[in-house]
Amino acid sequence: MTNSTVSSTARLLGAGLRALLVLTLLCGVLYPLAVTGAAQVLFNDRANGSELKDTHGRVVGSSLIGQRYDLPSKDGEEAPAADLRWFQPRPSNGLGTNSVNTQYTLLLSGATNRSGDNEELIRWVRDARAAVVEDNATATYEVNPADVPPDAVTSSGSGLDPHISPAYAKLQIHRVAERNGLDVRKVESLVADHTTGRLLGFLGEPRVNVLELNTALRDLTRG
């Protein structure tokens, strides 16, 4: 190999190394920093996961992900019972449980993908409706099965929907008030304050974020 060939190869390697360093600096350092900085300045809440905090400033979850409100599991129970002091979210059957890290019984997100005439799905809906009627009946309030809204007996496509319909939230008011020793009108006001209307008046459906509502309920009962 001649000296000129060695020199040419060295120049090419040097140019390639400089290009690698420049591109690494631009694409791997400066660009991510710029995007992260812009997101923190312009969309701080969303950039940090839409965290929801209570009145003490403690993070209680994300407003984008639904949470269950259950009693501690008992030995022999197939599934924990719902803690009826709280507003309940939509059912979340999902696709099953985590089988990779068995230290955690995580719900896998996703729809059950059953057709409307599937016998198992029909049984789930009937059982869920009966449970909603039973759980939300109080000494002074009786639930009409015909008034149970669809979102009270069917899970969302992800199984992690953070919202319920205003109809389902209102159906739970008497039970929540009774279980927490609160006046029904106070709980009605709480639901009204946490009901979000359609975007621009016509996009989407009215909804209630269950985590936000239960966080406000916790603050009310502690206050």
Side-chain angles (χ1 to χ4, degrees), residues 133-143 173-176 178:
V133 170
E134 180 182 358
D135 289 345
N136 290 283
T138 69
T140 59
Y141 178 75
E142 184 176 345
V143 179
I173 286 174
H174 286 78
R175 183 252 301 161
V176 170
E178 181 181 78

Side-chain angles (χ1 to χ4, degrees), residues 173-194:
I173 286 174
H174 286 78
R175 183 252 301 161
V176 170
E178 181 181 78
R179 298 270 176 160
N180 290 282
L182 297 172
D183 184 81
V184 170
R185 287 171 295 182
K186 278 191 175 182
V187 183
E188 286 177 342
S189 178
L190 203 64
V191 170
D193 290 343
H194 289 83

Side-chain angles (χ1 to χ4, degrees), residues 45-46 65 70 78-79 90 93 97 102 122 130 139-140 167 190 207 217:
D45 177 63
R46 295 181 183 180
I65 301 176
D70 295 327
E78 184 176 344
R90 295 185 67 173
N93 291 320
T97 54
T102 54
I122 293 172
T140 59
L190 203 64
R207 59 203 180 277
L217 175 63

Side-chain angles (χ1 to χ4, degrees), residues 16-34:
L17 180 60
R18 287 193 296 273
L20 175 63
L21 293 174
V22 170
L23 290 174
T24 299
L25 180 64
L26 289 176
C27 301
V29 179
L30 297 180
Y31 177 73
L33 286 176

